[in-house]
Amino acid sequence: MSENNSKRYAIIVAGGSGKRFGSELPKQFLPLEGKAVLMHTIEKFGQAGATIVVVLPAEHQEMWVAMCKETNFPVTHTIATGGKTRFESVKNGIAAIEDLTAGDLVAVHDGVRPLVSLELINRCFDSAEQCGSAIPVVNPIDSIRQVNNDGSSKQLLRSSLRAVQTPQTFRAELLKGAYDVVESPLFTDDASVAEAAGHQVTLVEGEVTNIKITTPIDMIIAKELIKNTPHNQTT
């Protein structure tokens, strides 16, 4: 952790419905090695010393509070209500941080990326402190093709591409100002919102194990990683 006095905040967006996963239970609440996926995620940011805001749909909040009480979940966090889109949810998460001041650092993370390491979180906070932002990325493994409207396609140079992850981390004044706009269809993540506001984002090295749980196969992989990769285990 940095030695300065910047406060660390984490907005954890957990708005999944579970439909793509094929589950009636939202995927962020599914059990993963003894606890809900979202609990693993929150614990990592607790270890990083962040004040945590969890953004949940209104209809999921009662369920989440009950799960936390039932399991005596120890990590303190605030609950904010999600919006219709990710943009609205992040904006609501920012608004829920009442004492946010310039110089503070805010990480925005997917609730269903429970394998993020403490090292990556710290790397993103440190980079955001120095450069204003930190966007974790990894090299794509597969070859990539761009499909045109007429059905034709062309190969893209894989070495020039990066797959984007979270936590996407920013100085508070940068993130807050960037989100003080009307939502655009071009906003796919926090980096795109920051760029639209005129900020150049800084890329940092991500982790191939920092997967987003979207399908049942992802859950199988996550279970094996937690069991067999000490780097991702809670310490």
Side-chain angles (χ1 to χ4, degrees):
M1 183 185 299
S2 171
E3 295 181 356
N4 76 22
N5 295 320
S6 297
K7 292 182 181 179
R8 291 180 167 189
Y9 294 91
I11 297 171
I12 299 176
V13 184
S17 65
K19 291 180 180 178
R20 280 193 296 172
F21 195 90
S23 168
E24 293 184 4
L25 188 67
K27 57 192 174 185
Q28 60 267 27
F29 298 155
L30 291 172
L32 175 61
E33 292 301 297
K35 67 187 74 171
V37 167
L38 183 55
M39 291 179 178
H40 285 276
T41 307
I42 294 172
E43 284 178 342
K44 291 293 176 63
F45 285 89
Q47 292 171 29
T51 298
I52 300 167
V53 175
V54 178
V55 185
L56 288 165
E59 61 270 25
H60 294 167
Q61 292 178 13
E62 185 176 348
M63 181 193 309
W64 173 246
V65 170
M67 290 178 69
C68 288
K69 288 183 179 179
E70 182 179 346
T71 59
N72 294 314
F73 186 60
V75 184
T76 300
H77 58 280
T78 299
I79 297 175
T81 301
K84 295 180 180 179
T85 64
R86 188 182 188 281
F87 177 90
E88 289 183 1
S89 293
V90 174
K91 194 167 186 175
N92 290 351
I94 295 171
I97 306 174
E98 296 180 356
D99 56 349
L100 189 63
T101 60
D104 291 341
L105 305 171
V106 184
V108 183
H109 189 65
D110 299 322
V112 289
R113 287 189 190 268
L115 300 179
V116 60
S117 73
L118 182 58
E119 289 82 0
L120 178 55
I121 294 172
N122 285 331
R123 183 156 65 246
C124 288
F125 274 123
D126 290 342
S127 175
E129 182 178 62
Q130 296 172 17
C131 305
S133 63
I135 311 300
V137 298
V138 293
N139 294 327
I141 298 173
D142 298 323
S143 293
I144 305 292
R145 297 193 69 85
Q146 177 178 305
V147 179
N148 302 316
N149 291 334
D150 62 3
S152 63
S153 67
K154 66 177 181 179
Q155 182 182 12
L156 298 180
L157 187 61
R158 185 172 57 189
S159 62
S160 69
L161 302 173
R162 298 293 182 271
V164 180
Q165 302 181 330
T166 65
Q168 297 185 12
T169 309
F170 305 85
R171 289 184 191 146
E173 65 273 20
L174 188 159
L175 184 67
K176 192 171 183 179
Y179 267 89
D180 191 21
V181 296
V182 176
E183 183 174 1
S184 164
L186 300 177
F187 295 160
T188 58
D189 62 359
D190 310 292
S192 60
V193 177
E195 285 180 321
H199 301 288
Q200 183 175 350
V201 298
T202 300
L203 304 185
V204 300
E205 183 181 356
E207 297 170 337
V208 294
T209 52
N210 182 25
I211 63 173
K212 184 176 182 180
I213 296 179
T214 305
T215 68
I217 292 175
D218 298 325
M219 184 66 84
I220 294 171
I221 295 170
K223 288 179 179 179
E224 290 303 311
L225 286 171
I226 285 180
K227 288 190 292 186
N228 299 314
T229 310
H231 178 68
N232 281 298
Q233 291 176 345
T234 300
T235 56

